[in-house]
């Protein structure tokens, strides 16, 4: 067969995998949104069957041969071409997927499946000791995984690469350290500032039906198309996509708090716009039809949630509508009071409830801890102590118990080490992209003020969404902004915004 035919065969196989993947994702969506509890066992059997099938089909030696054939042909002559990008990423995925011994994969799955229940129980009882043996085993297996993948420098590189292909621990650590110093300074200024917002404004009764109508209105205004999506309720909100024409978002409503559903919906709609903007029809199942990295994905949700959704121009348009829908709670609140309240900053224990400023400190703490654990610099038994002393240093508050400390997140029990940094990478990229969008569209904020959010959506589609994995995250950022990963635009944005909100 010619290299061209081999490439077509790869496309055909990728499409098949894409179809199985979409079916898997649909079952998972149903699991989180609709499934009756007694179906859990059957559902687990269904999804693990499909997962096994995808793995088998992908690691087929024939796939490796097809990739090699195209690699050694003229088809990849131009490294910037779509074919070259697809082959680059298929090679990367194929090598990773075939490097792990089957026994290790099975052992890892068994261990993490059991660990979830142990972790949930330990968190409920504030008892790290009962989770310690499971965590130790997960860390041991994770180290074995890193060894099997292979890495330069430290083992963390092999894990980070699973979620942020091409990123290195050293460069991320360098940017994060600069960020940490400036965030701690910013937090100190906020703490002593003259204007302290009244955060209680958002902690009032907000009619759930109206929260839903309002959330849908915002999502529609952003360009989320309900003819190719749905908004449903889930305990842990997420976005999922089943190929071209079907991208779904979920949220959860708190009748006594406006922020959870509102900013949650904006966040997930930001993820969804990325999925909707990928060229899936032409590249279904292929890397170019898929998102660039978790960091880039998160940059899309966080830009909409924070840089747009917590901005003055956005609320100049939406506040009167919100006031008319939530008369009792917002009728007597001024614009400035409301704007300050949605930008309220206060150190707290729980990452998922954190504000825009302290959120990243939560991530930096986890990144540091994971890296040290993997390098053997922190013993598992010392995790709570190390966590608590670092937490106090960054946040200025003492951790009262492990449920509010090192036991709060599900990630480690699921074996997801190397994942956390992508949240802050997302925030950093979001600020870099948003600064560039404002340069390219000088009247962007005036447009947002008029309720025109589609101009920004178009810019994102053109510059980011349509490319999928054609460029790796850092290269994409360089192409768009002329610079690689940099914490500066994010700190500029935060320093300006919070100096104004807090009046210092
Ligand atoms: Co997200």
């Amino acid at each position: 067969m010619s290299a061209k035919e081999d490439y077509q065969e790869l496309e055909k196989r990728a499409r098949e995998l894409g179809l199985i993947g979409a079916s898997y994702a649909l079952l998972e969506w149903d699991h989180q949104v609709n499934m009756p509890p007694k179906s859990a066992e059957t559902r687990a059997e269904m999804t693990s069957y499909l997962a096994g099938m995808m793995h088998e089909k992908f690691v087929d030696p024939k796939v490796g041969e097809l990739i090699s054939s195209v690699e050694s042909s003229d088809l990849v002559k131009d490294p910037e071409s779509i074919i070259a990008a697809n082959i680059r990423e298929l090679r990367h995925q194929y090598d990773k997927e075939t490097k792990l011994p089957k026994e290790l994969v099975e052992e890892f799955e068994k261990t993490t499946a059991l660990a979830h229940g142990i972790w949930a129980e330990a968190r409920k009882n504030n008892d790290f000791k009962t989770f310690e043996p499971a965590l130790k085993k997960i860390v041991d297996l994770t180290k074995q995984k890193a060894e099997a993948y292979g890495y330069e420098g430290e083992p963390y590189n092999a894990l980070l690469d699973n979620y942020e292909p091409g990123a290195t621990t050293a460069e991320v650590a360098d940017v994060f350290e600069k960020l940490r110093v400036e965030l701690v300074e910013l937090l100190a200024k906020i703490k002593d500032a003259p204007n302290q917002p009244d955060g209680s404004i958002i902690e009032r009764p907000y009619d759930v039906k109206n929260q839903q109508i309002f959330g849908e209105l915002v999502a529609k205004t952003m360009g989320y198309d309900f003819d190719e999506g749905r908004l449903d309720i889930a305990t842990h909100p997420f976005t999922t996509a089943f190929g071209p024409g079907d991208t779904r978002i979920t949220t959860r409503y708190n009748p006594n708090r406006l922020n959870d559903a509102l900013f949650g919906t904006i966040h997930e709609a930001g993820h969804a716009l990325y999925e909707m903007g990928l060229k899936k029809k032409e590249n279904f199942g292929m890397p170019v039809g898929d998102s660039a990295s978790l960091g880039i994905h998160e940059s899309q949700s966080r830009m909409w949630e924070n840089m747009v959704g917590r901005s003055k121009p956005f609320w100049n348009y939406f506040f009167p509508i919100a006031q008319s829908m939530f008369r009792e709670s917002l009728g007597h609140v001024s614009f400035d009071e409301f704007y300050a309240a949605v930008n309220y900053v206060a150190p707290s224990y729980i990452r998922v409830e954190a504000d825009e400023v302290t959120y990243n400190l939560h991530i930096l703490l986890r990144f540091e801890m994971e890296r040290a654990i993997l390098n053997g610099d922190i013993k598992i038994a010392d995790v709570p102590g190390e966590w608590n002393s670092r937490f106090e240093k960054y946040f200025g508050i003492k951790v009262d118990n492990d449920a509010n400390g090192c036991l709060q997140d599900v990630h480690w029990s699921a074996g997801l080490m190397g994942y956390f940094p992508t949240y802050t990478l997302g925030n950093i990229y979001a600020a870099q992209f948003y600064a560039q969008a404002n340069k390219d569209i000088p009247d962007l904020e005036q447009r947002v003020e008029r309720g025109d959010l589609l101009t920004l959506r178009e810019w994102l589609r053109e510059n980011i969404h349509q490319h999928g994995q054609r460029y790796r995250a850092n290269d994409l950022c360089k192409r768009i902004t002329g610079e690689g990963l940099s914490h500066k635009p994010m700190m500029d944005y935060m320093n300006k915004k919070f100096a104004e909100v807090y009046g210092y």
Side-chain angles (χ1 to χ4, degrees):
M1 282 209 294
S2 71
K4 182 141 184 262
E5 283 166 325
D6 285 342
Y7 185 72
Q8 282 164 350
E9 175 64 21
L10 272 175
E11 282 186 310
K12 202 185 108 203
R13 287 173 180 240
R15 185 170 184 85
E16 207 181 315
L17 282 168
L19 292 169
I20 306 171
S23 312
Y24 177 95
L26 180 54
L27 288 173
E28 274 296 316
W29 173 86
D30 180 72
H31 182 176
Q32 308 278 333
V33 174
N34 288 321
M35 193 184 83
K38 283 190 177 168
S39 174
E41 212 174 301
T42 314
R43 184 58 47 91
E45 205 181 331
M46 290 162 85
T47 45
S48 71
Y49 179 80
L50 289 185
M53 194 172 168
M54 282 193 283
H55 175 75
E56 294 283 295
K57 281 184 179 292
F58 188 56
V59 300
D60 181 347
K62 181 73 190 162
V63 172
E65 286 166 28
L66 293 167
I67 295 172
S68 298
S69 155
V70 183
E71 270 173 340
S72 57
S73 78
D74 276 356
L75 290 174
V76 296
K77 216 169 40 194
D78 171 10
E80 297 244 308
S81 71
I82 286 177
I83 294 182
N86 277 331
I87 293 298
R88 178 191 72 221
E89 295 306 326
L90 282 176
R91 162 61 68 200
H92 184 70
Q93 292 163 12
Y94 184 79
D95 285 352
K96 279 213 130 169
E97 195 98 8
T98 49
K99 271 179 183 167
L100 294 186
K102 202 169 169 224
E103 308 77 60
L104 180 56
V105 174
E106 280 170 4
E107 173 97 37
F108 198 83
E109 257 161 43
K110 224 169 60 196
T111 305
T112 50
L114 287 173
H116 184 270
I118 300 170
W119 161 77
E121 195 61 22
R123 185 173 73 157
K124 203 173 82 193
N125 301 327
N126 280 321
D127 181 16
F128 178 79
K129 277 274 162 244
T130 51
F131 181 52
E132 194 186 310
L135 182 59
K136 189 166 180 316
K137 184 145 190 224
I138 290 171
V139 169
D140 284 342
L141 292 171
T142 303
K143 281 183 184 164
Q144 290 178 38
K145 260 181 145 179
E147 295 303 326
Y149 285 138
Y151 54 83
E152 279 174 40
E154 56 187 279
Y156 201 79
N157 277 321
L159 307 169
L160 178 62
D161 185 80
N162 281 340
Y163 311 106
E164 204 62 24
T168 70
T169 308
E171 77 185 357
V172 169
D174 178 52
V175 173
F176 280 15
E177 181 52 24
K178 289 177 189 144
L179 190 63
R180 190 184 64 78
V181 172
E182 292 191 38
L183 282 175
V184 170
E185 274 171 27
L186 172 61
L187 199 56
K189 280 188 205 157
I190 287 173
K191 224 175 111 199
D192 301 327
N195 303 347
Q196 292 295 327
D198 175 7
S200 75
I201 291 168
I202 53 160
E203 317 271 347
R204 292 175 179 173
Y206 287 93
D207 179 69
V208 165
K209 186 75 205 146
N210 278 348
Q211 284 195 52
Q212 189 196 332
I213 295 169
F214 188 64
E216 283 180 3
L217 171 73
V218 174
K220 261 187 215 157
T221 313
M222 288 165 62
Y224 181 84
D225 180 357
F226 280 85
D227 284 338
E228 51 175 302
R230 294 174 53 93
L231 171 62
D232 292 277
I233 296 172
T235 319
H236 304 287
F238 63 101
T239 298
T240 184
F242 319 131
D246 198 345
T247 301
R248 305 192 185 182
I249 54 177
T250 57
T251 194
R252 60 168 169 224
Y253 299 96
N254 181 340
N256 294 307
R257 208 173 125 88
L258 182 65
N259 279 12
D260 302 15
L262 173 61
F263 292 106
T265 303
I266 298 174
H267 180 100
E268 300 306 333
H271 279 305
L273 292 183
Y274 187 15
E275 290 291 330
M276 287 170 165
L278 288 164
K279 289 196 165 161
K280 290 187 189 176
K281 271 212 175 88
E282 303 88 319
N283 302 291
F284 188 46
M286 285 297 243
V288 169
D290 200 358
S291 55
S293 72
L294 287 189
I296 297 297
H297 226 308
E298 194 68 2
S299 78
Q300 299 307 290
S301 56
R302 298 295 274 188
M303 182 191 300
W304 285 104
E305 178 190 351
N306 290 329
M307 279 142 219
V308 180
R310 285 187 160 90
S311 74
K312 263 194 171 161
F314 179 89
W315 286 108
N316 274 328
Y317 181 76
F318 281 108
F319 185 59
I321 303 172
Q323 257 186 328
S324 73
M325 292 181 76
F326 308 106
R327 259 179 219 293
E328 239 172 86
S329 291
L330 291 181
H332 299 288
V333 172
S334 75
F335 177 88
D336 287 339
E337 286 168 332
F338 181 77
Y339 174 65
V342 297
N343 285 296
Y344 182 58
V345 174
S348 61
Y349 298 125
I350 303 297
R351 174 184 65 87
V352 294
E353 292 164 9
D355 58 77
E356 208 180 339
V357 175
T358 59
Y359 187 85
N360 294 295
L361 289 172
H362 284 275
I363 301 304
L364 304 195
L365 169 68
R366 284 156 181 72
F367 171 64
E368 259 185 43
M369 294 285 299
E370 286 188 344
R371 207 179 161 198
I373 290 169
L374 263 296
N375 283 339
D377 298 335
I378 294 180
K379 284 201 206 73
I380 303 301
D382 299 335
V383 164
E386 283 289 336
W387 180 290
N388 297 350
S389 68
R390 286 164 204 241
F391 190 89
E392 195 179 345
K393 198 171 96 200
Y394 295 171
F395 292 79
I397 47 177
K398 252 191 163 62
V399 178
D400 53 354
N401 62 57
D402 292 339
N404 279 334
C406 64
L407 283 178
Q408 64 181 275
D409 286 303
V410 69
H411 299 58
W412 290 348
S413 74
L416 288 173
M417 288 191 142
Y419 187 108
F420 279 121
T422 66
Y423 291 118
T424 287
L425 288 173
N427 287 324
I428 294 173
Y429 282 134
Q432 291 186 265
F433 295 150
Y434 196 59
Q436 188 63 41
N438 276 285
K439 277 186 205 156
D440 293 351
I441 314 161
D443 65 340
L444 182 61
E445 299 211 322
Q446 287 94 300
R447 285 171 183 268
V448 171
E449 217 153 42
R450 297 197 298 269
D452 166 10
L453 303 181
L454 293 181
T455 303
L456 178 60
R457 200 275 309 258
E458 277 320 296
W459 186 92
L460 294 170
R461 214 164 238 199
E462 174 73 25
N463 287 284
I464 298 163
H465 301 172
Q466 63 156 334
H467 297 306
Q469 290 176 21
R470 185 152 179 197
Y471 312 104
R472 286 206 161 161
N474 207 41
D475 295 333
L476 181 70
C477 184
K478 271 187 204 145
R479 273 180 65 89
I480 297 171
T481 69
E483 235 189 316
L485 185 73
S486 160
H487 74 298
K488 280 216 170 68
M490 185 172 120
M491 287 315 304
D492 289 348
Y493 151 79
M494 284 201 184
N495 284 325
K496 185 165 166 250
K497 174 164 157 179
F498 290 103
E500 197 208 343
V501 170
Y502 278 82
Y504 58 77

